[in-house]
């Protein structure tokens, strides 16, 4: 075999059509061997002798795409000093574009003895670990281009590749649960009919199956256990794991883009699958432990952990920052994804101890011409001190709005004293984001996500039911802000079922009329249940998978969700680019405020209404002629005006529509409750009796305000936003 010096950049294995360049960073290494593995598992070792700036590199003309490989790194094994080099462990390439196999929970993966943890173990791991794979970068993208939906027009659908597709009746058994299934015409048809503009895929970076779960007959379903930041997870491939997963992933993205649907990845850059000091040695730990991980300063044998997983990546070292940026850029430029949701993003901002919104990570994202132009979404918390940072991220970022989730849940389960905060969440959470110059798109609004109850379970269970997880039902969140509608779990009582359906509709409707960016959890649009399990991280089975066999209530929920998404898409009044201010807008063409909060009597809410802990009802008026900002083509926006009647109490309540100044020709568009038919017309001053736990949307055309003069200047109104 010919061995050439090669290049130190780019890192990883780069196939150029003739041969492959290999480059690996390790400052701790004293010697590095590249290990080529054949189909029989035989290993051929190539000594790497070229080193530049701590990057070990070699070019092998004979190595083609599909070649499996790994590294053995010789260097200090001194945990007290932070070093854990161990040449008995075959290591993954941190830049591997594809990974073959799955690691077992075998003694050979650990550098200590299971029976005697204080003793060193040097058993070879080659037969029990995963292998990196050289891939061909070539793919026919055709005319693929990013849909590039404006943020304020975006509706996100959080989905799991396997969970969404595993039980779909129109998908062949041989491809269910794969990237091919995710790009299947039946899945795309469902997404298109639903009206979502982006899918946010739960982790698809290569992850590891936790040994203790496998030993218990369970699996890591969610995938927040990353080991390969460049490699699509190989278990979601239907054709194999020798690079085929890359081609299948690209084809999935291409198919979704053809349907005008963006692809956002849920990414885990805060930790790796190697765990704490008792974890396996698979990659980073054996290459350069002190360079990749945050260690306890006074005890470097242990890891500083703000993620609850055993370790945290060291965000103040240039090589970790380079790894993350190279990974992000690769997924955008080579895999054509449209954005990222960052798991436990507060950890990424911890250069030292505190969360720092001016950290190096944010600096390099801000100046990067590729990454700064895609959708960036933070999960704005971690488990460390000061980790809850909703509203604390820089202007370029959007955030999962945990305050929105909690407040909307509380309002719709009739909790007292939340109406003030509820209106702030409904209006885009300006109290959280406006002070940093951000707009409503900073708020990713969600009521449910993968972590917690589904929307159906939120109205069907008071308590978590996680017994199947094998942790005595003690795992998962115990405070769910849920209400079971009178009966815990499944019920045949038609009144209970009707109330649950109505309340689920209320939650979905609220989500889709709120300013900001809505995110729907997969299956919520059709009443998916997890049987009350609010922590299905280890349930890779029917508990978590979407069941596509729908009963009448589920079909009704699906129709209602489709209708609400369509309503949002047709009316810019529900997806504004700037915050509502509760004032008459100069030049907007209306003498009414852009938003008004009204009591059930149709008059502006009083201080007593705002301060009453028992007030669980309100009317929201949105002025379609009060949108001052033009659309992106510079055209003035004039939309229908809307009234939202919300009754979160358990009783029938009379609502009086506001005076004729607000318009006369109000028509029912959508609602929950059986008392008013869609299309029914009302005039200002009319009274409607609305049942408990109901929501009604009425709209009137802008022509009703013709002749109203524009205000000469903005004037404050006694309304809150």
């Amino acid at each position: 075999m010919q061995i050439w010096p090669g290049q130190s950049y780019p890192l990883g294995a780069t196939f150029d059509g003739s041969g492959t360049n290999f480059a690996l960073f390790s400052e701790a290494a004293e010697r590095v061997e590249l290990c080529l593995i054949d189909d029989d598992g035989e290993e051929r070792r190539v000594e790497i002798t070229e080193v530049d700036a701590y990057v070990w590199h070699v070019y092998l003309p004979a190595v083609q795409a599909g070649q499996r490989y790994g590294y053995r790194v010789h260097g200090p094994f001194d945990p007290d000093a932070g070093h854990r080099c161990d040449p008995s462990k075959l290591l993954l390439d941190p830049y591997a574009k594809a990974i073959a196999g799955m690691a077992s929970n075998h003694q050979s993966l650990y550098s200590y003895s299971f029976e005697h943890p204080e003793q060193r173990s040097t058993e070879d791991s080659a037969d029990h670990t995963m292998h990196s794979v050289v891939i061909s970068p070539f793919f026919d993208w055709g005319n693929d281009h990013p849909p590039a939906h404006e943020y304020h027009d975006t509706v996100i659908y959080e989905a799991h590749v396997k969970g969404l597709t595993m039980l779909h009746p129109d998908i062949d058994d041989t491809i269910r649960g794969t990237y091919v299934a995710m790009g299947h015409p039946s899945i795309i048809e469902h997404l298109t009919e639903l009206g979502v503009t982006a899918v946010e895929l739960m982790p698809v970076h290569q992850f590891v199956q936790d040994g203790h779960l496998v030993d218990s007959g369970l699996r890591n379903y969610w995938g927040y256990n990353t080991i390969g930041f460049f490699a699509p997870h190989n278990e979601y491939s239907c054709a194999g794991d020798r690079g085929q997963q890359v081609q299948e992933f690209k084809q999935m993205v291409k198919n979704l883009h053809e349907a005008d649907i963006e692809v956002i990845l849920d990414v885990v850059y805060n930790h790796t699958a190697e765990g704490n000091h008792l974890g396996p040695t698979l990659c980073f730990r054996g290459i350069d432990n002190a360079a990749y991980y945050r260690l306890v300063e006074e005890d470097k044998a242990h890891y500083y952990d703000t993620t609850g997983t055993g370790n945290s990546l060291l965000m103040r070292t240039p090589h970790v920052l380079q790894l993350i940026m190279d990974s992000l850029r690769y997924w955008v430029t080579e895999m054509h994804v449209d954005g990222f949701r960052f798991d436990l993003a507060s950890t990424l901002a911890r250069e030292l101890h505190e969360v720092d919104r001016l950290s190096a990570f944010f600096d390099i994202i801000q100046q990067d011409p590729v990454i700064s132009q895609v959708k960036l979404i933070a999960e704005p918390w971690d488990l460390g001190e000061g980790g809850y940072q909703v509203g604390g991220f820089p202007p370029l970022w959007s955030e999962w709005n945990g305050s929105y989730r909690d407040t909307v849940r509380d309002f719709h389960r009739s909790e007292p004293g939340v109406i003030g905060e509820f209106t702030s969440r409904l209006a885009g959470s300006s109290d959280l984001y406006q002070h940093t110059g951000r707009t409503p798109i900073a708020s990713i609004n969600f009521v449910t996500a993968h972590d917690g109850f589904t929307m159906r379970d939120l109205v069907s269970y008071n308590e978590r039911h996680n017994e199947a997880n094998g942790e005595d039902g003690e795992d998962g969140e115990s405070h769910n802000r849920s209400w079971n509608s009178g009966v815990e779990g499944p019920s045949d009582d038609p009144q209970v079922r009707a109330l649950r359906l109505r309340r689920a509709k209320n939650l979905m409707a609220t989500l889709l009329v709120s300013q900001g960016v809505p995110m729907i959890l997969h299956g919520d649009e059709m009443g998916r249940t997890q049987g009350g399990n609010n922590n299905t991280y280890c349930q890779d089975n029917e508990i978590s998978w979407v069941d596509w066999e729908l009963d009448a209530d589920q079909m009704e929920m699906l129709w209602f969700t489709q209708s609400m998404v369509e309503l949002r898409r047709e009316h810019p009044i529900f997806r504004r680019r700037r915050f509502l201010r509760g004032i008459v807008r100069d030049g907007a063409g209306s003498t009414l405020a852009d938003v008004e909060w009204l009591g059930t009597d149709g008059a502006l809410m009083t201080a007593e209404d705002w301060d009453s802990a028992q007030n669980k009802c309100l009317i929201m008026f949105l002025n379609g002629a009060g949108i001052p900002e033009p659309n992106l083509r510079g055209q003035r926006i004039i939309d229908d005006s809307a009234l939202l009647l919300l009754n979160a109490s358990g009783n029938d309540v009379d609502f009086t529509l506001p005076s004729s100044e607000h318009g006369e020709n109000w028509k029912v568009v959508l609602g929950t409750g059986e008392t008013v038919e869609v299309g029914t017309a009302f005039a200002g001053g009319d009274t409607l009796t609305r049942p408990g736990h109901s929501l009604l949307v009425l709209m009137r055309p802008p022509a009703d305000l013709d002749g109203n003069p524009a205000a000469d200047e903005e004037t404050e109104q006694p309304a809150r936003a």
Side-chain angles (χ1 to χ4, degrees), residues 568-585:
R568 181 182 182 88
R569 181 174 62 249
E570 291 181 347
H571 292 286
I573 199 168
F574 297 122
R575 45 182 175 83
R576 294 180 45 144
R577 294 171 50 235
R578 297 290 183 264
F579 283 116
L580 297 161
R581 294 176 59 190
I583 60 175
V584 177
R585 299 277 192 159

Side-chain angles (χ1 to χ4, degrees), residues 649-712:
S649 76
N651 305 313
D652 291 354
V653 174
D654 291 336
F655 285 79
T656 300
L657 300 188
S659 64
S660 57
E661 177 188 13
H662 293 78
E664 291 288 347
N665 190 25
W666 293 103
K667 289 187 178 180
V668 174
V669 178
L670 280 170
T672 63
E674 303 77 18
T675 58
V676 182
E677 292 185 4
V678 171
T680 304
F682 294 93
D686 287 352
T687 298
L688 294 76
T689 301
R690 301 301 302 140
H693 303 292
S694 68
L695 177 149
L696 193 66
V697 182
L698 302 96
M699 302 195 76
R700 60 133 178 87
D704 282 3
L705 283 183
D706 284 351
N708 279 357
D712 292 332

Side-chain angles (χ1 to χ4, degrees), residues 10 43 61 133 148 178 205 241 248 290 324 350 443 503 544 548 565 629-630 702:
E43 179 182 327
V133 181
T178 68
H205 287 177
D241 62 2
E248 292 177 15
I324 295 174
R350 292 181 185 270
S443 179
R503 292 183 58 225
S544 299
W548 294 84
V565 174
E629 67 268 15

